[in-house]
Amino acid sequence: GAVVSQHPSRVICKSGTSVKIECRSLDFQATTMFWYRQFPKQSLMLMATSNEGSKATYEQGVEKDKFLINHASLTLSTLTVTSAHPEDSSFYICSVARVTAGGRSYEQYFGPGTRLTVT
Amino acid sequence: RKEVEQDPGPFNVPEGATVAFNCTYSNSASQSFFWYRQDCRKEPKLLMSVYSSGNEDGRFTAQLNRASQYISLLIRDSKLSDSATYLCVVNGVGGSNYKLTFGKGTLLTVNP
């Protein structure tokens, strides 16, 4: 079954508005979640690491004031795209990390993604 | 050199064929390695982790060569449902076990 859910799956908004995307860990409590972005025909790019109860860690080149992340509980992280512009149109995907059997490594499981179109 | 580099593809193969994907990574300190598959306009789904000794899961075999910084995925007896983009993914870049770096992916189309 699904490990991670995201809502909404698709959103169309006007330029200048803000959009909130929710990511929920369904199977376990996740102190850390991740937000990625994927443009057409491109790789997934990590935007930020969301930490429960503390500030998110942003990757270089990602504006923290534009992409607001809140990780208020162990099962929910939200990404708000503020003052969205057409160039923010993309596929936004969250993930959670789970320790593999035997504790050898972490495996990441992705939500179904949110397709944002800014007109 | 890109952090994770894959065969650009695309690969078009008939049903039943065997197909191999290759991937190289640049950071010798990388700790964990994965193959994900991504269907068109969907999220990536974990196909298999790749361990040093190599591992097999049904028709899929993954190999890791740390000395050459090389990862491979072999698919035997291809099915139509194997059509997807296959992503080589490396963990542990930048000293973090969590951070994943993705290759651009290799598109596979299995034809009837």
Side-chain angles (χ1 to χ4, degrees):
Chain A
V3 176
V4 185
S5 70
Q6 257 183 264
H7 178 80
S9 58
R10 187 185 300 265
V11 59
I12 300 172
C13 70
K14 293 193 174 179
S15 194
T17 60
S18 295
V19 174
K20 182 189 277 189
I21 303 169
E22 292 186 350
C23 176
R24 291 183 186 276
S25 175
L26 302 177
D27 277 5
F28 59 95
Q29 295 180 328
T31 54
T32 305
M33 295 186 183
F34 305 90
W35 288 97
Y36 293 82
R37 180 168 55 180
Q38 186 177 33
F39 292 107
K41 299 190 187 300
Q42 299 293 317
S43 305
L44 269 76
M45 296 297 293
L46 179 65
M47 298 176 66
T49 302
S50 171
N51 304 298
E52 188 268 337
S54 64
K55 291 183 180 178
T57 306
Y58 290 82
E59 295 301 298
Q60 193 172 14
V62 178
E63 299 174 57
K64 62 180 183 185
D65 295 329
K66 181 169 181 63
F67 298 99
L68 301 178
I69 291 173
N70 185 293
H71 193 151
S73 79
L74 289 170
T75 58
L76 174 63
S77 175
T78 61
L79 169 69
T80 301
V81 183
T82 62
S83 187
H85 291 285
E87 57 266 31
D88 297 324
S89 298
S90 188
F91 190 43
Y92 291 85
I93 314 175
C94 68
S95 74
V96 299
R98 188 162 66 182
V99 178
T100 59
R104 294 168 73 173
S105 179
Y106 295 93
E107 292 176 343
Q108 286 196 23
Y109 295 88
F110 290 85
T114 297
R115 198 161 297 279
L116 171 65
T117 303
V118 184
T119 61
Chain B
R1 184 178 176 183
K2 292 180 184 172
E3 290 188 49
V4 180
E5 198 151 8
Q6 293 185 240
D7 285 338
F11 283 51
N12 285 281
V13 303
E15 265 187 295
T18 295
V19 60
F21 302 132
N22 301 316
C23 172
T24 56
Y25 60 96
S26 62
N27 191 334
S28 59
S30 297
Q31 299 294 318
S32 306
F33 311 90
F34 310 91
W35 285 101
Y36 281 77
R37 68 170 278 168
Q38 186 174 23
D39 293 289
C40 188
R41 300 175 72 83
K42 299 286 188 182
E43 77 278 18
K45 293 193 174 167
L46 180 64
L47 182 63
M48 56 198 306
S49 301
V50 187
Y51 300 118
S52 296
S53 54
N55 44 305
E56 187 175 308
D57 183 2
R59 298 181 293 110
F60 300 86
T61 301
Q63 295 279 347
L64 168 65
N65 184 322
R66 283 188 185 270
S68 303
Q69 294 177 208
Y70 168 90
I71 309 159
S72 66
L73 176 68
L74 184 77
I75 305 176
R76 290 180 298 277
D77 188 22
S78 301
K79 310 289 184 194
L80 296 177
S81 56
D82 293 334
S83 298
T85 297
Y86 288 83
L87 304 171
C88 176
V89 184
V90 174
N91 204 346
V93 176
S96 167
N97 264 337
Y98 287 120
K99 291 178 71 169
L100 295 182
T101 302
F102 286 77
K104 287 190 76 172
T106 303
L107 177 62
L108 170 67
T109 301
V110 181
N111 301 303

